[in-house]
Amino acid sequence: MREEMDVVKISDEQLRVLRTVLGERIYFFYADRLQVEEAGGSFLFWASGFALAMSTINSVPGKFRTYINISADYRLCSQDATTYYEFEVNVSSAPLWQEGALQFSKLSSLRVFSDPILMIEIYQNCNSTGEKTVLHDCAMVFYAHGKKIMLQARQELIGGVDIILDEHLIESQTKKLKLRCTLV
């Protein structure tokens, strides 16, 4: 089956990093340049990549935040499709790949102060037969008590990620996608 052959799985190492998010609180989304766009009565926040500043429930003094960096880069596909999108996920001691950007106030931030993350879902695009472009790993939904946060690949921007906080917009977006992985 062509669709299954084209599935690009998120790596075990990236899944391990995402599992560390479970039970933690997202304090901020850091971006090199956070931008806002209106979308169907809701607002999208987007940038070329995000870092989630995390805090554990039982924080160790002196080690308050961990940064999970997420971007969505396109790759060329060896099959007849042209490109696909996949998440890059890593952990570091500083937001994004710009180690010094925070000290020089070159980062934008979106304050979230979420409840602990209970579950993460990873979605891929469902292609119609005959489409030339294949999109994979193009959305993640983080679930907290009574709140959802969605990160989605921004197809027109290499590395670009949308962050969606509006629950109705999240529901409409996930209806078009295929659930591929659930972390609890």
Side-chain angles (χ1 to χ4, degrees), residues 6 12 17 19 26 36-37 58 62-63 71 73 80 85 92 96 98 117 123 135 141 146 156 158-159 180 183:
D6 284 344
D12 290 341
V17 170
R19 279 193 177 94
I26 299 175
V36 184
E37 181 178 289
N58 301 314
K63 186 174 174 18
S71 64
D73 292 331
D80 61 348
Y85 288 80
S92 74
L96 301 172
Q98 302 169 352
I117 300 301
Y123 289 87
L135 306 173
V141 180
E156 63 273 14
I158 297 172
R180 204 164 56 68
L183 304 175

Side-chain angles (χ1 to χ4, degrees), residues 103-114:
Q103 292 95 327
F104 300 109
S105 301
K106 292 182 181 174
L107 289 178
S108 301
S109 65
L110 175 64
R111 184 176 256 176
V112 179
F113 290 101
S114 174

Side-chain angles (χ1 to χ4, degrees), residues 53-78:
M54 309 301 297
S55 172
T56 59
I57 295 170
N58 301 314
S59 294
V60 177
K63 186 174 174 18
F64 179 64
R65 292 200 179 120
T66 300
Y67 298 95
I68 309 292
N69 299 311
I70 298 176
S71 64
D73 292 331
Y74 79 85
R75 304 280 186 260
L76 295 178
C77 188
S78 60

Side-chain angles (χ1 to χ4, degrees), residues 123-184:
Y123 289 87
Q124 73 179 50
N125 193 59
C126 297
N127 277 355
S128 300
T129 308
E131 282 189 31
K132 294 288 185 194
T133 302
V134 180
L135 306 173
H136 297 284
D137 291 340
C138 57
M140 286 185 203
V141 180
F142 296 81
Y143 288 82
H145 292 286
K147 184 174 184 179
K148 296 179 189 175
I149 300 166
M150 183 174 185
L151 296 182
Q152 184 170 345
R154 190 171 198 52
Q155 297 169 29
E156 63 273 14
L157 180 69
I158 297 172
V161 181
D162 289 327
I163 175 170
I164 305 171
L165 301 175
D166 180 80
E167 190 160 336
H168 295 295
L169 188 54
I170 292 172
E171 291 297 325
S172 71
Q173 293 296 313
T174 55
K175 281 181 184 175
K176 301 179 246 175
L177 304 173
K178 178 182 176 182
L179 177 63
R180 204 164 56 68
C181 184
T182 303
L183 304 175
V184 290

Side-chain angles (χ1 to χ4, degrees), residues 41-61:
S42 300
F43 291 95
L44 292 179
F45 300 90
W46 66 274
S48 56
F50 280 99
L52 286 64
M54 309 301 297
S55 172
T56 59
I57 295 170
N58 301 314
S59 294
V60 177

